[in-house]
Amino acid sequence: MGYKVAVVGATGNVGREMLSILDERGFPADEVVALASRRSQGTEVSFGDKTLKVKPLDQHDFHDTDICLMSAGGEVSKQWSPKIGAQGCVVIDNSSAFRYDQDVPLIVPEVNADAVSGFTKKNIIANPNCSTAQLVVALKPLHDFATIKRVVVSTYQSVSGAGKEGMDELFQQSRAVFVADPVERKKFTKRIAFNVIPHIDVFMEDGSTKEEWKVMVETKKMLDPKIKVTCTAVRVPVFIGHSEAVNIEFDKPITADEARDILRQAPGCLVIDKHEDGGYITPYESAGEDATYISRIREDQTLENGLNIWVVSDNLRKGAALNTVQIAELLVNRGLLKQKHAA
Ligand SMILES: NC(=O)c1ccc[n+]([C@@H]2O[C@H](COP(=O)([O-])OP(=O)(O)OC[C@H]3O[C@@H](n4cnc5c(N)ncnc54)[C@H](OP(=O)(O)O)[C@@H]3O)[C@@H](O)[C@H]2O)c1
């Protein structure tokens, strides 16, 4: 007998990807319910070779639902996740609403799987920010070899990280440039077509953005509170796939060859690192793939015990939907997910 699974935000970029990943990986579900806002009532979404009719979230009774994969933004999550959790349904939330709550584990299975058991306080588990997820997958095996003291990360984040509206805006603006129409701006603060924008999420008091703050705080929560992290987060005109240039300072020497060997064996990582034309990964190639790719591994000659690496992953998969489904699998594999409904 399998589980009853609800996907909230099933019409969105991440929700659609969740449905395909649940199917691809054969998650033990007897029933999958697709939920979104009332606007999408009756819309059809694909689940493997089946089609699901989308139902409104506010009309769904979670009493016999075992697990809810939530991907409908922070405000919806704040309103609904505690209520759903209180009905005995475990929520895995993609928004930032509960990531910094001490009673909610923030999980990347390759990094801190054991922390998942803490979910019972609220019945909520948080999925990290897309940039943090791929970053910690690459940092964890290196940190196990030589303690990381400081990380400087610059992100190159695709427009799909801003939802389906972000993808539409890049498409529409690019088209407008080619046909000499006026370029209209809605979602992003400046034109994104043929441009880059050094601003994601709101500004904080110290001049950094919330996205940059999230990368710092979430890395500390999942990997090690002693690591110093500083980030510059930039939106780039790429549809899918986030890239990161990462400078890492360790407490002891680590060569580029050692790092390459460690990362080759690390769960979730795939090293593509040839010192030749095209011997590295780009975000275009990461789209639709599960791996966190690492390229351009080299020693930083300006720093004692320093390395530079280039990290790329599909933000809708490892950065969101895949990681969520992996957390659900972790609960199943550890016997932590109870079935509520009768066979
Ligand atoms: N994209 C990424 O790379 C990424 C990575 C990590 C985390 N996340 C997080 O995942 C969440 C979703 O992101 P996304 O990229 O999939 O956004 P999206 O493409 O804009 O989709 C948003 C989804 O939320 C639903 N929704 C909105 N208001 C709702 C309501 N009141 N009740 C029920 N459903 C509602 C929408 O349904 P309708 O179609 O009915 O409006 C849609 O299905 C966000 O919290 C985001 O921060 C995204």
Side-chain angles (χ1 to χ4, degrees), residues 67-122:
I67 186 158
C68 171
L69 311 185
M70 174 75 85
S71 180
E75 289 312 309
V76 177
S77 182
K78 272 184 212 153
Q79 186 189 345
W80 283 93
S81 295
K83 289 187 206 166
I84 298 169
Q87 291 180 58
C89 174
V90 180
V91 178
I92 307 177
D93 180 36
N94 262 276
S95 80
S96 59
F98 295 95
R99 287 182 196 150
Y100 318 112
D101 184 326
Q102 283 189 340
D103 293 336
V104 173
L106 177 66
I107 302 292
V108 170
E110 294 90 338
V111 175
N112 63 339
D114 290 345
V116 81
S117 55
F119 79 92
T120 49
K121 287 184 189 141
K122 292 196 171 161

Side-chain angles (χ1 to χ4, degrees), residues 8-15 36-37 39-40 57 71-74 76 94-95 99 127-130 160-165 242 315-316 319-320:
V8 177
T11 53
N13 274 345
V14 174
S37 76
R39 291 180 292 272
S40 302
L57 166 64
S71 180
V76 177
N94 262 276
S95 80
R99 287 182 196 150
N127 199 65
N129 174 273
C130 35
S160 58
K164 53 190 183 205
E165 288 173 6
H242 286 0
N315 52 294
L316 299 178

Side-chain angles (χ1 to χ4, degrees), residues 286-305:
S286 77
E289 302 293 330
D290 288 349
T292 294
Y293 294 91
I294 300 118
S295 303
R296 308 288 327 279
I297 302 166
R298 62 213 189 272
E299 287 147 41
D300 176 356
Q301 307 298 346
T302 70
L303 191 67
E304 212 186 344
N305 309 327

Side-chain angles (χ1 to χ4, degrees), residues 267-312:
C269 295
L270 201 59
V271 174
I272 299 186
D273 194 22
K274 292 190 184 146
H275 299 170
E276 61 186 36
D277 291 355
Y280 41 79
I281 192 83
T282 63
Y284 177 72
E285 297 152 295
S286 77
E289 302 293 330
D290 288 349
T292 294
Y293 294 91
I294 300 118
S295 303
R296 308 288 327 279
I297 302 166
R298 62 213 189 272
E299 287 147 41
D300 176 356
Q301 307 298 346
T302 70
L303 191 67
E304 212 186 344
N305 309 327
L307 280 183
N308 286 308
I309 60 174
W310 172 248
V311 181
V312 180

Side-chain angles (χ1 to χ4, degrees), residues 240-255:
I240 294 176
H242 286 0
S243 309
E244 296 173 338
V246 190
N247 179 263
I248 315 164
E249 184 182 355
F250 298 88
D251 76 339
K252 68 171 194 185
I254 171 170
T255 65

